[in-house]
Amino acid sequence: GQQVMQIPQYQHVQEGEDFTTYCNSSTTLSNIQWYKQRPGGHPVFLIQLVKSGEVKKQKRLTFQFGEAKKNSSLHITATQTTDVGTYFCADPMNRDDKIIFGKGTRLHILP
Amino acid sequence: DAGVIQSPRHEVTEMGQEVTLRCKPISGHNSLFWYRQTMMRGLELLIYFNNNVPIDDSGMPEDRFSAKMPNASFSTLKIQPSEPRDSAVYFCASTRQGTYNEQFFGPGTRLTVL
């Protein structure tokens, strides 16, 4: 079935370093969503990208949607301990509100 | 807005017992989703409803799992009989029907089956 693949699965970075997670699809996506789940918490919606080549920023977070709409990335500049958690990309499948989540990238921050 | 409400937050039970998880979606949201999350399998969609009608239950692992949505403000996920491999965090999420809408997740129920 349709899937979105995320890499890496885990990432450890020193506090202050940058972090990037990537999301890839074998098929063209209508749009893509990103969620963050803090340890012990629940997934929380961050953003949705719709247009080919779209770039959106939220403070230190930069989200990109590929030109072919088959990949996306989330980049965090100068990570902080509050960035710890798992970041999921998700494919809204354009029907019935069903969303397919990637496996997520778990970010650990080393102090 | 109260957000999605789930109960109980934690459940510990013994193998073979019936478990019922409950969810109250956000008022006005007409799509509801049940997910299971484990380290090994990640976040899995079990079943979802539109306007209280089950649309896709292909993610329900076995006949031991069943879900109902008797009205727009309440849904249950039942496991009978429960097994240790059912131990996981179960999330309920809701959204307003329409394409590309963000999902709002509840706090989850952490289930442990001994």
Side-chain angles (χ1 to χ4, degrees), chain B residues 70-86:
Chain B
N71 58 62
S73 59
F74 183 66
S75 177
T76 59
L77 177 67
K78 185 177 293 186
I79 309 173
Q80 165 63 20
S82 58
E83 296 182 3
R85 59 195 168 119
D86 301 330

Side-chain angles (χ1 to χ4, degrees), chain A residues 36-103:
Chain A
K36 176 184 178 181
Q37 183 178 19
R38 295 181 186 273
H42 58 276
V44 175
F45 175 83
L46 293 177
I47 207 162
Q48 179 167 271
L49 304 174
V50 178
K51 299 177 182 176
S52 168
E54 188 171 15
V55 178
K56 286 188 177 180
K57 293 191 174 185
Q58 290 180 351
K59 298 182 180 178
R60 294 178 294 103
L61 277 59
T62 302
F63 303 84
Q64 290 189 314
F65 202 7
E67 292 290 342
K69 301 183 76 173
K70 288 187 173 183
N71 57 76
S72 181
S73 65
L74 159 58
H75 179 83
I76 303 178
T77 303
T79 54
Q80 300 175 359
T81 55
T82 54
D83 296 325
V84 166
T86 302
Y87 293 85
F88 295 94
C89 64
D91 170 21
M93 296 184 68
N94 195 26
R95 59 179 173 86
D96 297 324
D97 302 308
K98 181 177 178 177
I99 292 179
I100 299 298
F101 283 84
K103 295 293 186 187

